[in-house]
Amino acid sequence: MSKSKNRSAAQFFGVPLICVSTMVALFASIAPQALAGDQLPPVIERAMQRFDFDPDGLSVMVQNVETGDVLLDYQAHVPRNPASTMKLLTTYASLDTLTPGHLWNTKVYTFGDIDANGVLHGDLAIRGGGDPFFVEETLWKMLMELRRRGLRSITGDLLLDNSLFDLDREDPAAFDGEPLRAYNVAPDALLFNLKVVRFWFEPDADSRSVKVSSLPRLPNLEIVNDLKLVPGRCRGYMRGIEIDAEPNGNRVRFHGRFPDGCRRYSFGRTLLDHDSYAYGLFRSLWESLGGTLEGGYRRVVVDDSQKPLMSWQSRSYGELIRLINKHSNNVMTRQVFLTLGSHYFGEPASLTKARDAVRVWLDEQRIDFDSLVIDNGSGLSRDARMSARELTELLRHAWRSPFMPEFISSLSLAGTDGTVSRRHKRGELTGRAHLKTGRLDDVTALAGYLLADDGTRYALAILHNDKGVHRGGGEAVQDALLRWLYNYQTPIQAQSDQAGRVLAAE
């Protein structure tokens, strides 16, 4: 037999026989890289140790979104407080049920005759439809349409109907003792402008005083300015401004020492009750458009048989879900949560109906959430519970949904926008992860999708409940997970890369 016919298969393909045996041994020696339930990647363990966190307070789940293969399962079955990652369940269940094209309708009624001069001899009523984002601009456009139709003056009252939601009155200080904070605003079927007033503070060098202005300008909100302008750099908690105001009250007093080094400073607070706020904003905008309102305001329930003068449609849910998840807006989420309840069980919407609706939807989708405790749907709760395993299951279900593009695009993009706009702004993770964050005192959470360096997309969830975890250490643990996952290689990839290095060396 000729020498050419004695060549081995390995030689035929240009690989020395010694390398083939080396590769076989190498492949056999490499263990799978998926980690067991009691193991964490070393980089995450080091981050935990750095902040002296208790490993029992952490749950992590990572899955391949396509295959469902579990890459990391660390106490993923343990129910924990998910903070605002609870919004993923509320917004996705609503997206799947209501569809991206869902619209909310705010209706306007007249009680009385409108004469040839555009004077309504009677009352004007507005019936709220639960619109999550009926902001100042929206109301201005609606009132512009009323003016275009010839309405000029209202001799009676503004009637406000929020009966679409059946809710108990909430104490805005109940959650954390911060009743003026925007994240504590309660839902309302006639929610105007998220019930927030933004205040602006500017030094006036000539008079050595502080100018205070507000947006929107509400005629029924009294602002008392007792601030003192003092020399100093623009720093310190709230720049030295102190606030005195009663929850749902119509008067706010600012006092303290404001440094002249601040060119401009602002913050938002929630003042007035829902009805007073709606009336104040309506009157302010209506008068700015040349209209007049002679009366005050009253709460009513409009008869369903009454024909509206006009119905004003909201932006589509496909648009609004982006505002909700990217900016983690609590009251908008709660508005959607209640809408989901009325979709399943009819009007008026209630918390009980909303909670039951989520349960029904989960059953319809055959998703088993044994550990779920849902409170108000937003995650602003000490009672809410969910497991990391359930979160990743939800994310994988959403990945297979026809509305997957709308859902994923509602999540914050690492280093680009939303609540993670300042995280991973430069580096390998920029633009590679769509994430929903969650944060309460002693709670941090993160869930979403990450596209790894090798092109594999993963669903991930990390729930961390531990003392002081919200003070920065929790984010460090999350970032360690994201970096580890981005650079992760499957066993086959790792084997191939290492074999290539061996071949190159030999």
Side-chain angles (χ1 to χ4, degrees):
M1 187 176 290
S2 67
K3 184 176 180 181
S4 62
K5 292 181 180 180
N6 282 329
R7 289 184 299 177
S8 67
Q11 290 172 318
F12 182 83
F13 287 106
V15 181
L17 189 60
I18 185 173
C19 289
V20 174
S21 61
T22 302
M23 290 168 64
V24 172
L26 176 63
F27 288 170
S29 68
I30 298 178
Q33 294 190 15
L35 300 180
D38 60 349
Q39 291 180 294
L40 283 171
V43 66
I44 300 177
E45 286 186 336
R46 289 194 294 271
M48 293 283 287
Q49 292 166 1
R50 176 186 170 195
F51 294 95
D52 197 28
F53 289 141
D54 184 350
D56 288 341
L58 181 70
S59 291
V60 187
M61 186 77 169
V62 178
Q63 284 184 280
N64 184 309
V65 294
E66 297 286 356
T67 66
D69 292 341
V70 176
L71 182 61
L72 176 58
D73 177 345
Y74 182 79
Q75 303 183 132
H77 65 286
V78 178
R80 301 193 190 279
N81 190 321
S84 281
T85 56
M86 179 64 79
K87 291 182 175 69
L88 294 175
L89 174 57
T90 300
T91 57
Y92 174 54
S94 301
L95 185 69
D96 184 69
T97 304
L98 304 174
T99 76
H102 180 81
L103 302 171
W104 286 263
N105 290 299
T106 301
K107 297 178 180 180
V108 179
Y109 301 82
T110 55
F111 294 91
D113 296 325
I114 302 176
D115 66 23
N117 295 318
V119 178
L120 170 61
H121 296 277
D123 303 321
L124 184 82
I126 303 178
R127 186 173 195 265
D131 188 342
F133 199 62
F134 199 89
V135 292
E136 182 178 0
E137 177 187 358
T138 307
L139 179 60
W140 183 85
K141 289 179 178 179
M142 190 180 82
L143 299 186
M144 277 288 290
E145 177 61 19
L146 287 176
R147 293 288 283 127
R148 189 191 69 79
R149 295 187 183 196
L151 184 61
R152 181 175 61 83
S153 298
I154 304 164
T155 64
D157 293 334
L158 176 67
L159 309 181
L160 305 170
D161 182 351
N162 68 349
S163 60
L164 187 66
F165 290 174
D166 181 15
L167 302 172
D168 293 333
R169 188 176 181 88
E170 290 188 17
D171 177 5
F175 179 71
D176 61 357
E178 294 284 353
L180 305 183
R181 294 285 185 168
Y183 58 77
N184 277 322
V185 172
D188 193 86
L190 190 57
L191 177 67
F192 276 8
N193 210 42
L194 308 179
K195 206 170 80 74
V196 171
V197 180
R198 177 156 290 275
F199 296 98
W200 299 88
F201 305 87
E202 298 176 90
D204 186 335
D206 294 334
S207 63
R208 296 303 299 170
S209 64
V210 182
K211 294 189 294 184
V212 180
S213 57
S214 67
L215 287 175
R217 296 177 179 178
L218 304 178
N220 53 338
L221 175 63
E222 180 187 0
I223 300 174
V224 179
N225 177 9
D226 287 335
L227 284 167
K228 297 184 183 303
L229 187 66
V230 297
R233 295 170 58 187
C234 189
R235 61 183 180 183
Y237 177 68
M238 289 182 56
R239 307 303 185 266
I241 300 170
E242 298 180 47
I243 306 175
D244 289 337
E246 291 296 324
N248 296 322
N250 62 355
R251 182 180 186 273
V252 59
R253 173 176 172 258
F254 298 107
H255 58 105
R257 297 161 63 84
F258 186 75
D260 59 9
C262 292
R263 295 184 60 186
R264 203 177 199 200
Y265 181 68
S266 73
F267 54 73
R269 291 294 184 269
T270 173
L271 299 158
L272 305 174
D273 59 36
H274 281 291
D275 290 351
S276 297
Y277 189 101
Y279 164 74
L281 185 58
F282 178 94
R283 178 177 281 279
S284 175
L285 295 180
W286 184 242
E287 291 178 350
S288 73
L289 293 171
T292 62
L293 173 63
E294 295 181 16
Y297 68 97
R298 290 180 283 134
R299 180 181 293 186
V300 301
V301 176
V302 176
D303 190 330
D304 288 339
S305 64
Q306 180 79 15
K307 183 180 179 180
L309 173 69
M310 181 173 67
S311 183
W312 191 266
Q313 292 185 328
S314 71
R315 295 165 65 175
S316 72
Y317 183 41
E319 297 177 75
L320 297 184
I321 190 176
R322 292 169 56 86
L323 299 177
I324 293 170
N325 281 335
K326 284 186 181 293
H327 302 287
S328 202
N329 191 290
N330 291 316
V331 70
M332 289 181 68
T333 307
R334 297 181 67 181
Q335 298 277 118
V336 171
F337 185 55
L338 290 162
T339 302
L340 181 64
S342 63
H343 175 86
Y344 272 95
F345 300 109
E347 300 174 2
S350 69
L351 272 176
T352 299
K353 290 179 181 179
R355 292 164 184 155
D356 290 345
V358 170
R359 296 285 185 185
V360 171
W361 178 82
L362 288 169
D363 289 342
E364 291 174 346
Q365 306 304 313
R366 298 181 180 178
I367 302 176
D368 187 11
F369 273 29
D370 286 340
S371 66
L372 176 67
V373 177
I374 191 165
D375 186 354
N376 55 39
S378 73
L380 189 71
S381 168
R382 289 293 173 189
D383 300 321
R385 292 293 182 271
M386 189 186 293
S387 72
R389 181 173 296 168
E390 290 166 343
L391 265 174
T392 53
E393 183 179 357
L394 182 76
L395 291 166
R396 290 195 62 243
H397 190 281
W399 179 259
R400 300 187 295 271
S401 165
F403 306 133
M404 175 269 287
E406 286 81 7
F407 180 69
I408 293 184
S409 67
S410 77
L411 306 182
S412 298
L413 190 60
T416 302
D417 63 13
T419 57
V420 291
S421 61
R422 297 183 180 181
R423 296 172 64 178
H424 308 290
K425 202 168 185 64
R426 296 179 181 84
E428 58 191 13
L429 292 175
T430 303
R432 304 287 295 200
H434 290 82
L435 302 166
K436 180 72 198 75
T437 59
R439 182 178 177 274
L440 299 172
D441 285 355
D442 303 325
V443 177
T444 59
L446 187 73
Y449 305 91
L450 182 141
L451 184 65
D453 188 40
D454 66 358
T456 306
R457 196 178 299 273
Y458 296 98
L460 65 100
I462 174 169
L463 303 181
H464 201 171
N465 296 181
D466 201 354
K467 187 70 174 175
V469 72
H470 62 289
R471 295 191 175 97
E475 285 192 6
V477 175
Q478 294 171 1
D479 292 344
L481 171 67
L482 295 177
R483 286 191 294 269
W484 170 81
L485 184 57
Y486 174 78
N487 292 293
Y488 176 80
Q489 288 185 311
T490 65
I492 292 177
Q493 292 168 329
Q495 292 164 1
S496 176
D497 290 352
Q498 194 164 347
R501 290 192 291 271
V502 170
L503 290 174
E506 294 188 358

